[in-house]
Amino acid sequence: MTQSKGLRFIGITGGVGAGKSTILSYIRENYPCEIYLADEVAHEVKKAGTPCFQALVELLGKDVLGEDGEIHKGRMAAKIFADDTLLEKVNAIIHPAVKTYLLERLQEAKKSGKVSLFFVEAALLIECGYGELVDEMWYVYADESVRKKRLMESRGYGEEKVAQIMAAQLSEEEFRRASDFVIDNGGAPEEAYAQIDARLAGLRPAMTWKDQNGR
Ligand code: ADP
C-alpha cells in the first residue's frame, strides 16, 4: 500500500461547536491519516525544558509555574487577563513553536510514507497564517443557532459564554473566503461524513483496521 502520491496537508477550521472534533473522529477511524489539534500541540511545546517554556517563564515570571514545575494554565490566563499586552507576546512565543513542531511532523510523515493525509485542526488556523502552509483549508460550517444549541446541551455553556466565544472568532463570510472546501454540518453527522468521503474519494482503504479487527 505504498502507492502514495504524496501527502495532503489539510487544515480543518470553523467556529466553536461547528463539529470539527466530530468530523475528525470520523476521519481518524476511516482514513490513513495523522491528526494534530493545535491546542494540544501548544500544550506540548511549552512543557518544562522546551525553549518555549523558558521564554514564557522569562516573560511571565516564575510564579506562573504550578507545583509540578509546569506552566499553570490558570495562572497564565490570569496574567494575560490582567495585562492586555501579554496575549500578543505569549502568542508570539507559542505560535511559531507550534508551526515548527507541525512542519517537523509533516516532514516525518512525508518521509515515512505511511499516511496519505495530514490534518491540523484549530478555530484560529486562518488568523495564524496556516492558509499559506496547508494544501487545502476545510471549513466546517453549521449555523450559529445550531452551534449554540449543541454547545449549551453538550458542554453546558451558557448563552453569554457562547456569544462571547463566537464574537471573538471569524465571521462565516471570512471563513468561507479563506477556505477551499466547506463541510455543511448543519444536518445529521452522516451527511457531513458523506461530503468528506466524496472529497477524499479513492483514499479510503477497502478495509480499515477497525473493520478487520471488529473494534
Ligand atoms: P468543535 O470541535 O467544532 O467545537 P464539536 O465536534 O465538539 O465541535 O461539536 C460540538 C457538539 O455538537 C458536540 O457535542 C458534538 O457531539 C455535537 N455535534 C457535532 N456535529 C453534530 C451533528 N451533525 N449533529 C448533532 N450534533 C452534532
Side-chain angles (χ1 to χ4, degrees), residues 20-105:
K20 299 181 292 298
S21 312
T22 306
I23 277 164
L24 282 171
S25 302
Y26 173 76
I27 294 173
R28 183 178 277 120
E29 287 199 357
N30 291 284
Y31 288 94
C33 62
E34 275 185 36
I35 294 175
Y36 293 91
L37 310 182
D39 284 352
E40 281 181 7
V41 175
H43 179 67
E44 200 61 35
V45 298
K46 65 178 172 49
K47 281 192 172 160
T50 62
C52 237
F53 172 87
Q54 195 91 15
L56 287 170
V57 175
E58 265 165 41
L59 174 70
L60 302 169
K62 279 217 165 85
D63 57 338
V64 77
L65 298 176
E67 284 64 44
D68 59 357
E70 296 288 348
I71 291 167
H72 187 277
K73 205 175 160 192
R75 288 184 193 161
M76 185 165 95
K79 280 175 184 277
I80 291 172
F81 189 72
D83 178 351
D84 284 350
T85 66
L86 278 181
L87 179 61
E88 216 169 301
K89 289 178 187 162
V90 165
N91 284 344
I93 293 170
I94 297 178
H95 288 182
V98 170
K99 254 180 216 172
T100 303
Y101 178 96
L102 285 169
L103 293 175
E104 282 171 6
R105 298 292 87 72

